[in-house]
């Protein structure tokens, strides 16, 4: 047959969604019991997180290859947007845009 994987559910409650032809299925989304949904890009075996959406509506954006993704922007549900620079695990806030449009810069 030409069956292909479209969804997998782990014992811990994570639901993973796949796209692609048989043998080249790549994960595009994972839903966690905590309510977090992560979105992925990349070929099979090299999928990297590009966005994470929390249950409260906050969204985190990532750049970088698989395993070394770093946060570049975080949007809170109340409209505050934080911009980050730095290596994975050592990101720091460099700019914050408040809901009213005020911009704060950090060094």
């Amino acid at each position: 047959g030409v069956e292909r994987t479209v969804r997998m559910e782990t014992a811990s409650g994570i639901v993973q969604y796949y796209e692609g032809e048989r043998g080249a299925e790549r994960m595009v989304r994972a839903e966690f019991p905590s309510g977090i949904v992560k979105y992925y890009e990349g070929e099979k075996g090299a999928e990297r997180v590009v966005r994470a959406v929390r249950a409260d509506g906050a969204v985190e954006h990532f750049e970088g290859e698989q395993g070394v993704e770093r946060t570049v922007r975080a949007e809170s549900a109340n409209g505050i947007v934080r911009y980050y620079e730095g290596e994975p695990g050592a990101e720091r806030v460099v700019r914050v845009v408040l809901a009213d449009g005020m911009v704060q810069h950090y060094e």
Side-chain angles (χ1 to χ4, degrees):
V2 292
E3 298 86 1
R4 62 187 183 89
T5 304
V6 295
R7 186 177 75 232
M8 286 195 335
E9 300 173 17
T10 70
S12 62
I14 299 169
V15 181
Q16 301 170 329
Y17 295 88
Y18 294 82
E19 291 180 357
E21 298 300 317
R22 180 180 180 178
E25 301 97 327
R26 64 194 181 283
M27 186 168 52
V28 295
R29 188 172 85 236
E31 298 174 353
F32 295 80
S34 64
I36 293 175
V37 179
K38 292 185 179 181
Y39 296 86
Y40 297 82
E41 292 180 359
E43 296 303 313
K44 179 179 182 175
E47 301 96 328
R48 64 195 180 280
V49 179
V50 294
R51 191 170 77 244
V53 180
R54 294 194 330 224
D56 66 2
V59 180
E60 228 177 327
H61 298 267
F62 301 90
E63 290 180 358
E65 295 305 311
Q66 182 185 58
V68 290
E69 299 94 336
R70 64 182 186 87
T71 304
V72 293
R73 187 172 80 240
E75 304 163 2
S76 65
N78 63 5
I80 297 173
V81 180
R82 291 175 176 82
Y83 294 86
Y84 297 84
E85 290 181 0
E87 296 301 313
E91 300 94 329
R92 61 182 182 81
V93 175
V94 293
R95 189 171 82 230
V96 175
V97 179
L98 303 177
D100 65 5
M102 180 183 288
V103 179
Q104 301 170 334
H105 298 269
Y106 298 88
E107 289 184 345

